[in-house]
Each structure stands twice: as structure tokens, then as C-alpha cells.
Amino acid sequence: MAGFRGRAKGPVELQVVPYPALTVFIDFGDALLVDGVGGERQQGDVVVGLTSGTVRGHGSAVDLLQVRLSPVVAHAVLGGSAGLGATVVALEEFWGRDAARTREQLRAAGSWERRFAIMEAALARRHAAGRAVDPEVAFAWAQIVSSRGQVRVERLATEVGWSRKRLWSRFRAQTGLSPKRAATLVRFDHAVHRLAAGHSAASVAAESGFVDQSHLCRDVMAFAGMTATAVAVAPWLAVDDVAWTAQEKAPSV
């Protein structure tokens, strides 16, 4: 989780860069999320799918709590979230009245620390009541993440004792992506953060498992809808080292 608060003199538009997690936004400002393909427009409490490169945020008064959920966790916390793709959906579609109750508790909280604690408790309740993914799917996802997307589906299937077809089917049904697509997304995420850190496209391509620099640029354009040069300076990525740290307490910026 991370908290964001800020004010701008005029409307600001920010393109979302895909990340290997579903993203929950609990907004108390004027943020508007728009899916450039489907045209969905959502304010308030929303969930954004894994392949969110066509989603843009608009607003000038930012006050929101953002939660990233791996698809393995999201399966239990959000239930039928696997088919989200790049769409923007109201949190109420998954949590019903509990979404409004949680929002009011968060709004009444007097600090970010209190907000984080309230949200963590809500997520824990939903996770405990939800249905976990197959252990084989969880294992495959963990291997994809730890290898930064550089693992073969055939090897994963062998390791979990399933056929390639069964792994493909169960993984897609429970995460919303095929194992190959998930690996490509994880590899993309690692690559764009390396680009944002100032590394050259050529070196990032070589170390991240791409055939060449052109292959990297094609994947960046396919996922993010922008060039490798543009994604390297994308504001969406610029705050990651501050907002998404491995600290015990969730940060606010």
C-alpha cells in the first residue's frame, strides 16, 4: 500500500504503466480513471486490471490510497477479478456494501498509519473468506516473479506435475493471464524500472532476456503504449522507489 496526496494548479493527466498486480484505488479527491479502449470512467473506489496500459488518471486534487495485489492474492480478495484485463471497475462490484463501509472508515481515519491499518484489516478479512488459487498456480506465479519472467512454461508444468495444457488453463482462469503472458508482463516490469533508473535500452534488453533492443521496444510499446525513451521518464514510475519500498509501514508521498 502507498498513500498519495497533492494539489496542482490545473488538471493533470497521468498514464498508468502496467504492473504485475491488480491495483485498487481508494480516492478521496477528484481523481478520474479512464480506460482509453473501453471508455470506462470511474471515480472513488476502483480496481484496475493487470494490462492497464490504456488507462489514464485525471485530476488536480490528489488524496488516495493505492493497493497493489498480486493476482494470486487478488483471486481471494476480489473474487472474480481474473477477467479484468485493462478495464477499470468499481470496487463495489467485488465487495458490495463492504466497499462503502471501508471507504467511510478510511475517510474518518486521522492519519495515514490508521488508513493503512484499516485497509490491511479489510484485505485480511476478504482474503480469509475468499477462495485461494491452486497451490500449483501459486507456485508457478512465484517462479515467474522470482525469475523476472525468464522461465519456460514447459518447465513450470513439469515442476508442478501438470500437463502444459492444464497449467495454461488453470493459471489463466485464476489470474486472468496465460503463464506466457504473465512472464512477459513481469519481464516488462523489470525492464521499464531499469530504464527509469537510467540504464540504456541496449543493456536492459541484454540483461532482461529480450532478443535485442528492438524486441524490448516492441514490448514496451505493446504494454505501455509509449516508447522506451518515454517510459523511462514516465511520472508513474518516477515515484516507485519512494512509494513502493520494502518497509514494514506503508509510505505516503
Side-chain angles (χ1 to χ4, degrees):
M1 291 182 287
F4 298 88
R5 179 176 288 151
R7 297 292 184 270
K9 293 181 179 180
V12 175
E13 181 178 284
L14 189 67
Q15 182 166 342
V16 176
V17 176
Y19 183 81
L22 288 91
T23 305
V24 179
F25 294 90
I26 309 293
D27 178 60
F28 305 100
D30 66 351
L32 171 68
L33 290 177
V34 180
D35 177 8
V37 174
E40 290 90 351
R41 302 165 66 88
Q42 295 285 351
Q43 286 183 295
D45 311 335
V46 301
V47 182
V48 179
L50 288 164
T51 52
S52 54
T54 63
V55 176
R56 291 180 176 271
H58 304 260
S60 58
V62 176
D63 183 8
L64 62 86
L65 176 64
Q66 186 178 339
V67 183
R68 288 176 172 175
L69 298 172
S70 84
V72 170
V73 174
H75 181 75
V77 171
L78 298 175
S81 61
L84 267 177
T87 57
V88 180
V89 180
L91 181 60
E92 184 180 11
E93 294 292 322
F94 304 105
W95 282 11
R97 295 179 180 178
D98 196 30
R101 286 193 292 266
T102 302
R103 176 185 177 81
E104 289 310 309
Q105 291 174 350
L106 291 168
R107 182 183 289 279
S111 66
W112 279 111
E113 287 72 19
R114 181 59 182 152
R115 281 184 174 181
F116 296 142
I118 291 169
M119 193 62 183
E120 184 176 0
L123 294 170
R125 288 195 306 271
R126 304 295 302 194
H127 189 270
R131 183 175 179 180
V133 300
D134 295 333
E136 294 85 354
V137 171
F139 174 83
W141 174 259
Q143 291 299 303
I144 289 171
V145 171
S146 64
S147 70
R148 294 173 175 168
Q150 299 185 58
V151 62
R152 296 184 63 84
V153 177
E154 291 78 5
R155 175 189 151 192
L156 291 175
T158 299
E159 290 186 2
V160 301
W162 282 356
S163 68
R164 184 179 184 277
K165 182 178 180 181
R166 177 169 174 77
L167 175 61
W168 191 283
S169 174
R170 297 296 293 168
F171 193 97
R172 181 164 190 147
Q174 295 181 10
T175 70
L177 298 175
S178 69
K180 182 176 180 180
R181 183 66 169 170
T184 305
L185 174 59
V186 170
R187 183 177 63 182
F188 157 84
D189 174 67
H190 171 70
V192 294
H193 280 89
R194 295 290 287 170
L195 292 171
H199 298 273
S200 71
S203 65
V204 171
E207 72 179 21
S208 302
F210 293 90
V211 174
D212 52 29
Q213 185 175 333
S214 295
H215 182 200
L216 166 65
C217 292
R218 287 195 301 272
D219 266 20
V220 170
M221 179 61 72
F223 273 109
M226 63 180 86
T227 66
T229 301
V231 83
V233 295
W236 186 263
L237 295 178
V239 300
D240 269 21
D241 288 342
V242 177
W244 303 102
T245 60
Q247 301 173 0
E248 289 186 5
K249 293 185 177 180
S252 59
V253 295

